[in-house]
Amino acid sequence: MITSRQNPKITHFRALMRDRKARLEHGQFAVEGEKLFDEAVSCGLTPQNILITEKFSQKNANICEKAANLCNIDIISTDLAEYISDTKSPQGVFFSLELLDKFSKLSTLIYSTKNSTKIIALDGVQDPGNVGAVIRSCDAFGVSALLLSDNCADIHAPKVIRSAMGSAFRLPVHRGNLAEMLAELKQNGFAVIGAALNERAEKLGSFEFPEKSIAVIGGEGGGISAEVLALCDKQLYIPIKNAQSLNAAVAAGIIIYEQQKEK
């Protein structure tokens, strides 16, 4: 049993859970939880290494048996599980995966979505829980892909992965300069529609999304950036009655439903 915080595997997992730079440097990210382990494996992902507590191994022999056929397993103390975890109540199982970069080039995204072409883009959504929730909604309603601006929350952050509930393992995601990505996609026939509150915006539900469309949702604070807004072919707003605004993930869910709705 590993009991030292200085053990290389412990320092490695703790860094992956807390530091985006460490994740990029090692090309890996760390995930916690039995359900997410099952989701990852069912999606064809192969864990690089697994850490489990003795208590977890005693109660989950089936998981341990499945894990043993995939990669190395190390037993760690309960104290170390608490040290690694970013939650108050660790589940007792951690595993590492390769980064989920589904697209090395935007042309791959264009090619992969040629028969199913409705995309969601997030511009400056920095709350990890919101990004994870949007990923889950995209997966649930069959969105082709998700674009993230460089200043969005890291898709590999523990809270994003937890909030996505396994959907991050399935949904194609591309992160980069959003304005450049949108400009290239527009050249390939995509219409860009941004969520905004101004006199140019049309009411959601009053028009049909084009077959090849990208719906852009901005962060709760600043909304869509001026550079991205200038690329939008159309702007929309969600009609609400009392509250001044909606949570970014809630707004995205409503727009996703309307965008994917069969006409």
Side-chain angles (χ1 to χ4, degrees), residues 154-196:
D154 181 13
I155 184 180
H156 302 100
K159 190 173 181 181
V160 173
I161 296 297
R162 283 198 304 273
S163 300
M165 295 290 289
S167 292
F169 303 144
R170 289 184 290 271
L171 180 71
V173 177
H174 191 95
R175 182 189 180 101
N177 184 305
L178 185 57
E180 291 181 0
M181 290 191 284
L182 293 177
E184 183 172 346
L185 287 166
K186 286 187 68 170
Q187 291 178 355
N188 285 272
F190 284 83
V192 180
I193 302 169

Side-chain angles (χ1 to χ4, degrees), residues 221-232:
I224 298 175
S225 66
E227 183 180 16
V228 169
L229 197 62
L231 291 167
C232 293

Side-chain angles (χ1 to χ4, degrees), residues 42-261:
S42 68
C43 290
L45 304 179
T46 303
Q48 308 296 302
N49 195 56
I50 301 176
L51 305 179
I52 58 174
T53 61
E54 187 172 24
K55 182 178 180 181
F56 181 89
S57 67
Q58 292 171 348
K59 291 185 176 181
N60 300 276
N62 59 326
I63 294 292
C64 296
E65 183 178 352
K66 184 189 296 186
N69 293 323
L70 297 171
C71 67
N72 178 67
I73 299 178
D74 289 291
I75 306 296
I76 62 173
S77 67
T78 301
D79 288 344
L80 287 185
E82 294 174 351
Y83 178 66
I84 295 172
S85 178
D86 72 329
T87 66
K88 293 182 179 179
S89 302
Q91 297 185 41
V93 55
F94 306 86
F95 58 99
S96 57
L97 295 168
E98 292 183 356
L99 296 183
L100 298 170
D101 186 8
K102 299 288 201 316
F103 301 120
S104 57
K105 295 181 179 179
L106 199 60
S107 58
T108 310
L109 169 61
I110 296 168
Y111 175 79
S112 68
T113 60
K114 64 179 181 179
N115 296 318
S116 179
T117 53
K118 291 185 178 177
I119 296 171
I120 294 295
L122 298 183
D123 186 15
V125 179
Q126 298 177 346
D127 182 88
N130 282 342
V131 172
V134 172
I135 291 171
R136 190 176 178 185
S137 294
C138 287
D139 185 33
F141 291 110
V143 169
S144 303
L146 175 67
L147 308 180
L148 299 177
S149 64
D150 281 322
N151 57 340
C152 281
D154 181 13
I155 184 180
H156 302 100
K159 190 173 181 181
V160 173
I161 296 297
R162 283 198 304 273
S163 300
M165 295 290 289
S167 292
F169 303 144
R170 289 184 290 271
L171 180 71
V173 177
H174 191 95
R175 182 189 180 101
N177 184 305
L178 185 57
E180 291 181 0
M181 290 191 284
L182 293 177
E184 183 172 346
L185 287 166
K186 286 187 68 170
Q187 291 178 355
N188 285 272
F190 284 83
V192 180
I193 302 169
L197 286 174
N198 58 45
E199 65 280 356
R200 293 180 56 195
E202 297 182 35
K203 181 179 178 181
L204 180 67
S206 65
F207 63 90
E208 290 188 10
F209 283 86
E211 187 58 35
K212 295 180 71 172
S213 64
I214 306 166
V216 185
I217 295 95
E220 292 181 37
I224 298 175
S225 66
E227 183 180 16
V228 169
L229 197 62
L231 291 167
C232 293
D233 302 295
K234 188 187 291 287
Q235 297 174 29
L236 65 84
Y237 73 93
I238 302 171
I240 56 178
K241 292 184 177 180
N242 298 317
Q244 292 184 348
S245 63
L246 293 172
N247 171 280
V250 173
I254 295 170
I255 292 170
I256 289 167
Y257 177 79
E258 188 68 26
Q259 182 195 34
Q260 300 299 318
K261 189 166 62 176

